Amino acid sequence: MIDSNHDIQIIKTENSRIAQVDFSQLSFGEIFSDHMYQVEYRDHEWQQPEIHPFGDITISPSTSILHYGQAVFEGLKAFRYKDGKINIFRARDHFNRFNRSCKRVSIPEISEELFIDGLYALVDLDRDWVPKEKYKSLYIRPFVFATDKFLGVRASRTYKFMILTGPVGNYYKNGLKPVSLTTMPDFVRAVKGGVGNAKVPGNYAASIYPAELAKEQGYTQILWLDACEKKFIEEVGTMNIFFMIDDVLITPALSGSILEGITRKTVLEVAIGMGYTTEERAISIDEVISASKKGTLQEAFGTGTAAVISPVGFIHHEEKEIVINNREIGPVVKKIYNHITGLHHGDVADTNNWCHVF
Ligand SMILES: *Cc1c(COP(=O)(O)O)cnc(C)c1O
Protein backbone atom coordinates (compact mmCIF):
# COMPACT_ATOMS: atom_id res chain seq x y z
CA MET A 1 0.00 0.00 0.00
CA ILE A 2 1.59 3.27 -1.07
CA ASP A 3 0.13 6.73 -0.77
CA SER A 4 1.65 10.13 -0.40
CA ASN A 5 1.43 12.94 2.14
CA HIS A 6 3.46 16.16 1.85
CA ASP A 7 5.63 14.44 -0.72
CA ILE A 8 6.54 11.78 1.82
CA GLN A 9 6.44 8.38 0.26
CA ILE A 10 4.51 6.24 2.72
CA ILE A 11 4.48 2.47 2.89
CA LYS A 12 2.08 1.41 5.63
CA THR A 13 2.34 -1.77 7.59
CA GLU A 14 -0.34 -4.37 7.10
CA ASN A 15 0.41 -5.94 10.47
CA SER A 16 0.11 -3.38 13.25
CA ARG A 17 1.76 -4.57 16.48
CA ILE A 18 -0.23 -2.23 18.72
CA ALA A 19 -2.63 -4.91 20.03
CA GLN A 20 0.36 -6.72 21.58
CA VAL A 21 1.44 -3.70 23.64
CA ASP A 22 0.45 -3.46 27.31
CA PHE A 23 0.16 0.30 27.79
CA SER A 24 -0.15 -0.15 31.55
CA GLN A 25 3.38 -1.62 31.77
CA LEU A 26 5.55 0.71 29.71
CA SER A 27 9.23 1.19 30.44
CA PHE A 28 11.68 3.32 28.42
CA GLY A 29 13.03 2.64 24.93
CA GLU A 30 11.96 -0.96 24.46
CA ILE A 31 8.85 -0.72 22.33
CA PHE A 32 8.66 0.95 18.93
CA SER A 33 5.61 2.15 17.01
CA ASP A 34 4.54 0.65 13.70
CA HIS A 35 6.41 3.07 11.42
CA MET A 36 9.72 4.89 11.01
CA TYR A 37 10.73 7.89 8.93
CA GLN A 38 13.87 8.13 6.83
CA VAL A 39 15.64 10.48 4.45
CA GLU A 40 18.97 9.83 2.76
CA TYR A 41 21.63 12.35 1.90
CA ARG A 42 23.71 11.89 -1.25
CA ASP A 43 24.94 13.95 -4.22
CA HIS A 44 25.07 16.99 -1.91
CA GLU A 45 21.38 16.95 -1.05
CA TRP A 46 18.69 15.38 1.07
CA GLN A 47 16.53 13.04 -0.98
CA GLN A 48 12.87 11.95 -0.96
CA PRO A 49 11.48 11.42 2.58
CA GLU A 50 9.92 8.04 3.25
CA ILE A 51 7.88 6.34 5.95
CA HIS A 52 8.21 2.56 6.25
CA PRO A 53 7.09 -0.14 8.65
CA PHE A 54 9.51 -0.21 11.62
CA GLY A 55 12.18 -2.82 11.05
CA ASP A 56 15.85 -3.70 10.75
CA ILE A 57 18.14 -1.94 8.32
CA THR A 58 21.22 -3.51 6.77
CA ILE A 59 24.55 -1.73 6.52
CA SER A 60 28.02 -2.66 5.32
CA PRO A 61 30.60 -3.41 8.04
CA SER A 62 32.68 -0.64 6.45
CA THR A 63 30.01 2.00 7.14
CA SER A 64 31.66 5.13 8.49
CA ILE A 65 29.45 5.54 11.60
CA LEU A 66 30.65 2.19 12.99
CA HIS A 67 34.26 3.37 12.94
CA TYR A 68 34.38 7.10 13.63
CA GLY A 69 31.02 7.85 15.23
CA GLN A 70 29.89 10.72 13.03
CA ALA A 71 26.29 10.98 14.23
CA VAL A 72 23.82 13.20 16.10
CA PHE A 73 20.57 12.46 17.90
CA GLU A 74 17.63 14.19 19.57
CA GLY A 75 14.95 13.14 22.03
CA LEU A 76 11.55 14.76 22.39
CA LYS A 77 8.04 13.71 23.33
CA ALA A 78 4.40 13.75 22.25
CA PHE A 79 1.68 13.76 24.91
CA ARG A 80 -2.04 13.05 24.94
CA TYR A 81 -4.57 15.69 25.95
CA LYS A 82 -7.73 14.61 27.77
CA ASP A 83 -9.79 15.37 24.64
CA GLY A 84 -7.71 12.90 22.61
CA LYS A 85 -5.58 15.47 20.79
CA ILE A 86 -1.81 15.05 20.62
CA ASN A 87 0.77 17.60 21.73
CA ILE A 88 4.33 17.54 20.42
CA PHE A 89 6.42 19.60 22.84
CA ARG A 90 8.97 22.19 21.63
CA ALA A 91 9.75 20.39 18.37
CA ARG A 92 11.23 23.52 16.78
CA ASP A 93 13.74 23.91 19.63
CA HIS A 94 14.83 20.30 19.20
CA PHE A 95 15.14 20.83 15.44
CA ASN A 96 17.35 23.89 15.93
CA ARG A 97 19.58 22.09 18.42
CA PHE A 98 19.82 19.11 16.06
CA ASN A 99 21.27 21.31 13.34
CA ARG A 100 23.66 23.01 15.78
CA SER A 101 24.92 19.55 16.80
CA CYS A 102 25.22 18.51 13.14
CA LYS A 103 27.37 21.51 12.34
CA ARG A 104 29.87 20.58 15.08
CA VAL A 105 30.45 17.12 13.57
CA SER A 106 30.29 18.21 9.89
CA ILE A 107 26.94 16.63 9.12
CA PRO A 108 24.91 18.61 6.55
CA GLU A 109 22.00 20.51 8.09
CA ILE A 110 18.50 19.26 7.41
CA SER A 111 15.58 21.54 6.50
CA GLU A 112 12.75 22.34 8.86
CA GLU A 113 10.37 20.78 6.35
CA LEU A 114 12.19 17.45 6.31
CA PHE A 115 12.63 17.34 10.09
CA ILE A 116 9.45 18.89 11.49
CA ASP A 117 6.92 17.97 8.80
CA GLY A 118 8.32 14.44 8.69
CA LEU A 119 8.09 14.15 12.45
CA TYR A 120 4.50 15.43 12.54
CA ALA A 121 3.47 13.09 9.70
CA LEU A 122 5.05 10.09 11.45
CA VAL A 123 3.41 10.83 14.81
CA ASP A 124 0.06 11.44 13.09
CA LEU A 125 0.26 8.12 11.26
CA ASP A 126 1.03 6.28 14.52
CA ARG A 127 -1.16 8.51 16.70
CA ASP A 128 -2.83 5.53 18.39
CA TRP A 129 0.59 4.75 19.90
CA VAL A 130 0.55 7.92 22.03
CA PRO A 131 -0.42 6.66 25.51
CA LYS A 132 -3.66 8.03 26.96
CA GLU A 133 -2.60 8.18 30.61
CA LYS A 134 -1.08 11.29 32.17
CA TYR A 135 2.75 11.20 32.63
CA LYS A 136 3.09 8.62 29.85
CA SER A 137 4.16 9.75 26.40
CA LEU A 138 5.40 8.88 22.96
CA TYR A 139 9.18 9.24 22.94
CA ILE A 140 10.51 10.53 19.61
CA ARG A 141 14.09 9.81 18.55
CA PRO A 142 15.39 11.66 15.47
CA PHE A 143 18.98 10.74 14.54
CA VAL A 144 21.42 10.96 11.67
CA PHE A 145 24.54 8.94 10.90
CA ALA A 146 27.36 8.74 8.36
CA THR A 147 26.84 6.00 5.78
CA ASP A 148 29.88 6.15 3.47
CA LYS A 149 31.44 2.72 3.01
CA PHE A 150 34.92 4.03 3.57
CA LEU A 151 37.56 3.78 6.30
CA GLY A 152 39.30 7.08 5.59
CA VAL A 153 38.92 9.82 8.18
CA ARG A 154 36.92 12.64 6.63
CA ALA A 155 33.33 13.84 6.69
CA SER A 156 31.09 11.25 5.09
CA ARG A 157 29.43 12.23 1.83
CA THR A 158 26.30 10.20 2.51
CA TYR A 159 24.04 10.10 5.57
CA LYS A 160 20.84 8.56 6.77
CA PHE A 161 18.38 10.58 8.86
CA MET A 162 15.72 8.60 10.70
CA ILE A 163 12.97 9.10 13.25
CA LEU A 164 11.75 6.31 15.54
CA THR A 165 8.93 6.64 18.04
CA GLY A 166 7.75 4.48 20.90
CA PRO A 167 5.43 4.70 23.91
CA VAL A 168 7.14 5.20 27.28
CA GLY A 169 5.92 5.12 30.86
CA ASN A 170 6.54 7.62 33.61
CA TYR A 171 10.32 7.59 34.11
CA TYR A 172 9.75 7.17 37.83
CA LYS A 173 7.40 4.28 38.47
CA ASN A 174 6.75 5.35 42.06
CA GLY A 175 6.66 9.09 41.41
CA LEU A 176 9.55 11.53 41.74
CA LYS A 177 12.18 10.05 44.05
CA PRO A 178 15.29 12.01 45.02
CA VAL A 179 18.52 10.49 43.65
CA SER A 180 21.98 10.42 45.21
CA LEU A 181 25.02 11.77 43.37
CA THR A 182 28.77 11.60 43.59
CA THR A 183 31.43 13.64 41.88
CA MET A 184 34.09 11.64 39.98
CA PRO A 185 37.16 13.85 39.84
CA ASP A 186 39.12 11.19 37.89
CA PHE A 187 36.77 11.48 34.91
CA VAL A 188 35.31 14.32 32.87
CA ARG A 189 32.27 14.32 30.63
CA ALA A 190 33.30 17.07 28.26
CA VAL A 191 35.72 19.91 27.80
CA LYS A 192 35.26 23.36 26.28
CA GLY A 193 36.06 23.16 22.59
CA GLY A 194 35.06 19.49 22.50
CA VAL A 195 31.61 18.12 21.73
CA GLY A 196 29.92 18.44 25.14
CA ASN A 197 27.46 20.99 23.80
CA ALA A 198 26.47 18.78 20.85
CA LYS A 199 24.08 15.85 21.24
CA VAL A 200 26.41 13.20 19.85
CA PRO A 201 26.59 9.50 20.82
CA GLY A 202 30.27 9.65 21.82
CA ASN A 203 29.47 11.77 24.87
CA TYR A 204 27.31 8.93 26.10
CA ALA A 205 29.91 6.26 25.33
CA ALA A 206 32.43 8.21 27.41
CA SER A 207 30.08 8.52 30.38
CA ILE A 208 29.01 4.88 30.71
CA TYR A 209 32.12 3.49 32.44
CA PRO A 210 32.34 6.21 35.14
CA ALA A 211 28.55 5.91 35.63
CA GLU A 212 28.98 2.17 36.28
CA LEU A 213 31.67 2.90 38.86
CA ALA A 214 29.37 5.41 40.58
CA LYS A 215 26.58 2.80 40.67
CA GLU A 216 28.94 0.21 42.18
CA GLN A 217 29.67 2.73 44.92
CA GLY A 218 25.94 3.10 45.59
CA TYR A 219 25.16 6.37 43.81
CA THR A 220 22.47 6.87 41.19
CA GLN A 221 24.31 9.36 38.98
CA ILE A 222 27.49 11.36 38.58
CA LEU A 223 27.65 15.05 39.33
CA TRP A 224 30.01 16.17 36.56
CA LEU A 225 32.56 18.86 37.32
CA ASP A 226 34.36 21.03 34.77
CA ALA A 227 37.32 19.40 33.07
CA CYS A 228 39.92 22.09 33.81
CA GLU A 229 39.61 22.97 37.49
CA LYS A 230 37.33 20.12 38.67
CA LYS A 231 35.56 22.77 40.64
CA PHE A 232 32.50 24.01 38.79
CA ILE A 233 29.35 21.96 38.40
CA GLU A 234 28.33 21.12 34.83
CA GLU A 235 25.62 18.45 34.60
CA VAL A 236 24.16 15.45 36.40
CA GLY A 237 24.31 12.13 34.52
CA THR A 238 22.76 13.12 31.19
CA MET A 239 20.71 15.96 32.61
CA ASN A 240 21.19 19.65 33.34
CA ILE A 241 21.21 20.66 37.00
CA PHE A 242 19.55 23.32 39.16
CA PHE A 243 20.10 24.44 42.77
CA MET A 244 17.75 26.53 44.89
CA ILE A 245 19.98 28.49 47.25
CA ASP A 246 18.64 31.28 49.45
CA ASP A 247 15.51 31.54 47.29
CA VAL A 248 17.47 31.90 44.04
CA LEU A 249 17.21 29.21 41.37
CA ILE A 250 20.71 28.71 39.95
CA THR A 251 21.84 26.63 36.97
CA PRO A 252 25.33 26.52 35.44
CA ALA A 253 25.71 28.94 32.52
CA LEU A 254 26.17 27.38 29.08
CA SER A 255 29.94 27.26 29.11
CA GLY A 256 30.60 25.38 25.88
CA SER A 257 30.89 21.98 27.54
CA ILE A 258 27.29 21.83 28.78
CA LEU A 259 24.41 20.54 26.66
CA GLU A 260 21.84 23.24 26.07
CA GLY A 261 18.83 21.35 27.44
CA ILE A 262 15.37 22.26 26.22
CA THR A 263 13.95 21.21 29.62
CA ARG A 264 16.56 23.48 31.25
CA LYS A 265 15.23 26.33 29.13
CA THR A 266 11.61 25.41 29.95
CA VAL A 267 12.35 25.30 33.69
CA LEU A 268 14.05 28.71 33.58
CA GLU A 269 11.16 30.25 31.66
CA VAL A 270 8.48 28.63 33.85
CA ALA A 271 10.31 29.63 37.07
CA ILE A 272 10.61 33.25 35.91
CA GLY A 273 6.88 33.23 35.10
CA MET A 274 6.19 32.01 38.65
CA GLY A 275 8.16 34.94 40.04
CA TYR A 276 11.32 33.10 41.10
CA THR A 277 14.69 34.78 40.76
CA THR A 278 16.91 32.75 38.44
CA GLU A 279 20.63 32.89 37.68
CA GLU A 280 22.66 31.24 34.93
CA ARG A 281 26.22 31.39 36.19
CA ALA A 282 29.23 29.35 37.24
CA ILE A 283 28.50 27.47 40.46
CA SER A 284 31.19 25.52 42.27
CA ILE A 285 30.80 22.36 44.32
CA ASP A 286 32.31 24.31 47.24
CA GLU A 287 29.54 26.89 47.02
CA VAL A 288 26.92 24.12 47.19
CA ILE A 289 28.64 22.50 50.18
CA SER A 290 28.96 25.78 52.04
CA ALA A 291 25.30 26.66 51.31
CA SER A 292 24.38 23.27 52.76
CA LYS A 293 26.39 24.04 55.93
CA LYS A 294 24.76 27.45 56.24
CA GLY A 295 21.33 25.94 55.75
CA THR A 296 20.57 27.96 52.59
CA LEU A 297 20.64 25.00 50.15
CA GLN A 298 16.93 24.36 49.75
CA GLU A 299 16.59 22.06 46.74
CA ALA A 300 18.48 20.52 43.83
CA PHE A 301 17.21 18.75 40.73
CA GLY A 302 18.21 17.53 37.28
CA THR A 303 16.26 18.26 34.08
CA GLY A 304 15.92 16.37 30.80
CA THR A 305 13.26 15.21 28.36
CA ALA A 306 13.26 11.56 29.48
CA ALA A 307 12.64 12.17 33.21
CA VAL A 308 11.48 15.83 32.93
CA ILE A 309 12.70 16.57 36.47
CA SER A 310 14.71 14.44 38.86
CA PRO A 311 15.12 15.71 42.45
CA VAL A 312 18.53 15.30 44.10
CA GLY A 313 18.54 14.21 47.74
CA PHE A 314 22.20 13.55 48.41
CA ILE A 315 25.62 14.61 47.09
CA HIS A 316 28.98 13.01 47.86
CA HIS A 317 32.18 14.92 47.05
CA GLU A 318 35.59 13.74 48.27
CA GLU A 319 35.21 13.34 52.04
CA LYS A 320 32.04 15.39 52.24
CA GLU A 321 28.43 14.32 52.14
CA ILE A 322 25.40 16.56 51.99
CA VAL A 323 21.73 15.75 52.40
CA ILE A 324 19.30 18.03 50.57
CA ASN A 325 15.81 18.78 51.87
CA ASN A 326 15.88 15.69 54.07
CA ARG A 327 16.01 13.54 50.89
CA GLU A 328 12.46 14.59 50.13
CA ILE A 329 10.86 16.33 47.16
CA GLY A 330 10.86 20.05 47.74
CA PRO A 331 8.00 22.48 47.10
CA VAL A 332 9.71 24.32 44.21
CA VAL A 333 10.55 21.19 42.26
CA LYS A 334 7.01 19.90 42.78
CA LYS A 335 5.44 23.15 41.63
CA ILE A 336 7.60 23.38 38.48
CA TYR A 337 7.11 19.68 37.69
CA ASN A 338 3.32 20.00 37.98
CA HIS A 339 3.35 23.06 35.75
CA ILE A 340 5.44 21.44 33.01
CA THR A 341 3.52 18.14 33.04
CA GLY A 342 0.35 20.27 32.99
CA LEU A 343 1.61 21.96 29.83
CA HIS A 344 2.39 18.55 28.34
CA HIS A 345 -1.12 17.25 28.84
CA GLY A 346 -3.05 20.47 28.17
CA ASP A 347 -4.04 21.22 31.79
CA VAL A 348 -1.96 24.42 31.75
CA ALA A 349 -2.40 26.98 28.94
CA ASP A 350 0.45 27.11 26.41
CA THR A 351 1.15 30.85 26.32
CA ASN A 352 4.60 30.43 24.74
CA ASN A 353 3.61 28.51 21.63
CA TRP A 354 5.65 25.47 22.73
CA CYS A 355 2.98 22.93 21.84
CA HIS A 356 2.03 21.63 18.41
CA VAL A 357 -1.46 20.23 19.00
CA PHE A 358 -3.39 18.21 16.42
C1 LIG B 1 19.79 15.54 26.04
C2 LIG B 1 20.69 15.97 27.15
C3 LIG B 1 20.25 16.81 28.19
C4 LIG B 1 18.82 17.25 28.36
O1 LIG B 1 18.33 17.97 27.28
P1 LIG B 1 16.75 18.09 27.08
O2 LIG B 1 16.65 18.91 25.85
O3 LIG B 1 16.22 18.78 28.27
O4 LIG B 1 16.23 16.72 26.92
C5 LIG B 1 21.18 17.21 29.14
N1 LIG B 1 22.46 16.79 29.09
C6 LIG B 1 22.90 15.97 28.12
C7 LIG B 1 24.32 15.55 28.13
C8 LIG B 1 22.04 15.53 27.12
O5 LIG B 1 22.50 14.72 26.16
Side-chain angles (χ1 to χ4, degrees):
M1 204 189 326
I2 295 179
D3 54 35
S4 84
N5 172 15
H6 304 100
D7 296 316
I8 301 171
Q9 190 182 28
I10 300 177
I11 302 174
K12 288 187 189 162
T13 182
E14 290 177 6
N15 300 298
S16 174
R17 291 172 282 104
I18 197 165
Q20 295 144 35
V21 177
D22 181 355
F23 280 81
S24 71
Q25 299 288 332
L26 296 171
S27 57
F28 181 85
E30 289 182 324
I31 294 169
F32 299 95
S33 314
D34 279 330
H35 298 91
M36 60 189 190
Y37 175 80
Q38 63 179 60
V39 195
E40 282 175 8
Y41 182 92
R42 60 173 178 272
D43 304 330
H44 310 285
E45 57 190 356
W46 290 101
Q47 307 287 317
Q48 163 88 34
E50 296 170 10
I51 288 176
H52 291 270
F54 178 86
D56 292 349
I57 55 172
T58 56
I59 50 173
S60 161
S62 68
T63 303
S64 173
I65 173 62
L66 300 178
H67 304 276
Y68 307 121
Q70 203 193 357
V72 162
F73 70 100
E74 267 302 325
L76 66 161
K77 282 177 169 176
F79 303 89
R80 183 77 70 172
Y81 278 10
K82 279 199 217 71
D83 65 6
K85 287 201 180 107
I86 287 163
N87 167 26
I88 303 182
F89 195 65
R90 304 200 76 160
R92 198 152 272 108
D93 294 280
H94 286 275
F95 159 70
N96 288 326
R97 185 173 67 189
F98 186 81
N99 273 341
R100 284 199 296 277
S101 299
C102 284
K103 190 165 182 196
R104 178 61 183 82
V105 290
S106 284
I107 294 177
E109 290 186 12
I110 193 160
S111 68
E112 184 164 331
E113 188 193 357
L114 284 174
F115 187 108
I116 303 259
D117 294 356
L119 193 157
Y120 290 173
L122 180 68
V123 173
D124 193 25
L125 181 64
D126 281 336
R127 62 186 294 133
D128 291 346
W129 288 81
V130 183
K132 298 191 171 55
E133 247 178 276
K134 193 168 181 180
Y135 306 118
K136 295 185 177 178
S137 58
L138 187 79
Y139 186 76
I140 304 167
R141 166 55 57 87
F143 61 109
V144 62
F145 58 95
T147 53
D148 276 8
K149 299 173 194 172
F150 177 58
L151 294 185
V153 179
R154 57 147 170 80
S156 180
R157 289 165 193 159
T158 61
Y159 297 88
K160 197 175 180 84
F161 172 78
M162 303 188 77
I163 307 177
L164 312 179
T165 74
V168 298
N170 190 352
Y171 206 79
Y172 300 101
K173 294 222 157 45
N174 310 308
L176 294 177
K177 231 178 93 194
V179 296
S180 63
L181 313 180
T182 183
T183 58
M184 276 268 172
D186 289 347
F187 297 94
V188 298
R189 192 194 81 87
V191 60
K192 284 181 195 34
V195 290
N197 57 355
K199 214 166 172 70
V200 297
N203 287 333
Y204 282 66
S207 73
I208 289 171
Y209 175 65
E212 283 175 350
L213 292 181
K215 280 228 168 73
E216 276 170 23
Q217 295 166 23
Y219 305 102
T220 330
Q221 297 271 13
I222 295 176
L223 184 62
W224 294 106
L225 301 180
D226 77 281
C228 300
E229 296 179 68
K230 313 275 174 73
K231 187 173 155 192
F232 296 101
I233 294 170
E234 300 232 307
E235 298 200 45
V236 48
T238 57
M239 289 184 284
N240 295 111
I241 187 149
F242 283 80
F243 295 93
M244 188 81 176
I245 299 177
D246 219 359
D247 289 328
V248 179
L249 190 61
I250 305 162
T251 191
L254 299 172
S255 58
S257 50
I258 292 175
L259 201 276
E260 194 181 339
I262 312 293
T263 318
R264 174 186 179 276
K265 201 154 67 163
T266 302
V267 166
L268 283 170
E269 286 159 334
V270 164
I272 290 166
M274 287 174 168
Y276 290 111
T277 306
T278 63
E279 288 179 359
E280 292 177 70
R281 62 165 172 87
I283 176 165
S284 67
I285 183 70
D286 293 338
E287 178 181 347
V288 172
I289 291 167
S290 89
S292 168
K293 276 195 196 132
K294 274 190 274 177
T296 54
L297 174 60
Q298 295 151 297
E299 298 188 32
F301 57 92
T303 66
T305 295
V308 187
I309 278 177
S310 181
V312 175
F314 182 86
I315 297 174
H316 166 261
H317 173 64
E318 292 167 348
E319 269 74 61
K320 302 176 194 96
E321 293 186 334
I322 58 178
V323 173
I324 304 167
N325 196 44
N326 213 9
R327 290 190 190 244
E328 282 162 23
I329 301 160
V332 176
V333 93
K334 204 182 270 175
K335 197 168 154 193
I336 293 174
Y337 179 76
N338 287 340
H339 188 96
I340 295 175
T341 52
L343 275 167
H344 289 162
H345 294 279
D347 306 325
V348 169
D350 171 29
T351 52
N352 295 290
N353 213 5
W354 289 336
C355 303
H356 175 73
V357 181
F358 60 104

